[in-house]
Amino acid sequence: MVDVSVIVPVYNMEQYLVKCMDSLVNQTLETIEIVCVDDGSTDRSYAILKQYEEDYPDKVVVLRKENGGQATARNLGIQKSTGRYIGFVDSDDYVHTSMFEMMYQVMEEKHCDLVECDYTYVDENDRTLPKYGYVRRYESKKEMFRNPLVSPWNKLFRREILTENHILFPEGLIYEDTAFYLKSIPYITKWEFIDRVFVYHYYHESSTMNRNKSLRVGNIFPVLEDAIATYRERGITEYDKELEYFCVRILICSSLKRVASIPDKAIRRETLHKTLDFIREHFRHYRRNPYVAGKLGLYMKCFGRGTAWIYMILLRR
């Protein structure tokens, strides 16, 4: 068993893969395992990975599978990895070469279940962009539900947190990071934050949302269902208010912006109605939630069937 396993899901990333892999094979932590899962790439990604495996046989492990999505690749990586701690890196990102040594040291010294670090958001010319997620030190576990960065690529987990509690990414969906993060929180007892930028996360300018992408915006509903079901099936009730706030905030804030961007009016209307129905079914009384306060709270409280289309018009501007 090595100290740290880094799982890298790869799909058609030949343009960025060398920079990512160079940042990993040159990590200052020597007892590291880089588990690369090629998810059925059709470009040169697999060949690039195999070259790294040949050049660094003590560090790089390459797995290949049929295309099934990022979640399936990450889940396979968790299953096949051997590290005491597990981290994730996206194949189009790159990281500081001391990232995993620093995070490992904090894990060991503080006996943590989770360590997070800061990141910077960059474009393809390495120009810094405004961040879309706020990372900071959490004062309590309940604070982890309040506007977190759910992405796994700035985190290092104790292996047992994931494997013993069957924490996996829901497959076949986008926004799977959300469910994975939510399902891990109840089992984390000690955590730390390193206030240093270790991850350089790429922004890729995408084309206007097409019909297929529009339909996938609705993936947020089964993703949240997956997390809610886990809490209920396992009898986790001490975070009911926090889970309610997290889910409703996602639906009324970030998800609603994506819904408003759907160009197809029929799909836009259908997804909006699903949002309203989901909130009514699961969180009918969310306006009484103690975290729904301040300006954002007013925005959330005023959302409803009578005001939903006003929100949509404003968000489309």
Side-chain angles (χ1 to χ4, degrees), residues 250-293:
I250 285 284
L251 291 169
I252 296 180
C253 299
S254 58
S255 180
L256 198 65
K257 292 179 182 178
R258 290 190 286 267
V259 175
S261 299
I262 297 174
D264 188 306
K265 187 175 181 180
I267 299 175
R268 188 165 69 243
R269 182 188 300 111
E270 178 185 358
T271 310
L272 176 60
H273 286 309
K274 285 183 178 179
T275 300
L276 290 161
D277 291 342
F278 190 97
I279 293 173
R280 182 176 179 83
E281 177 183 355
H282 294 283
F283 306 112
R284 180 187 298 262
H285 304 296
Y286 81 88
R287 292 176 181 82
R288 303 175 190 172
N289 189 295
Y291 297 107
V292 179

Side-chain angles (χ1 to χ4, degrees), residues 1-6 28-35 58-59 81-87 100-105 107-108 112 156-160:
M1 180 175 285
V2 297
D3 290 324
V4 171
S5 292
V6 182
T28 55
L29 179 67
E30 293 186 0
T31 51
I32 190 171
E33 172 188 60
I34 305 160
V35 182
D58 296 331
K59 290 185 178 181
S81 65
T82 63
R84 297 168 55 215
Y85 304 106
I86 295 177
F100 288 105
E101 181 178 19
M102 295 287 290
M103 297 181 83
Y104 168 74
Q105 288 176 351
M107 275 284 201
E108 290 285 283
C112 294
L156 189 63
F157 293 88
R158 183 178 297 277
R159 180 181 193 83
E160 291 78 10

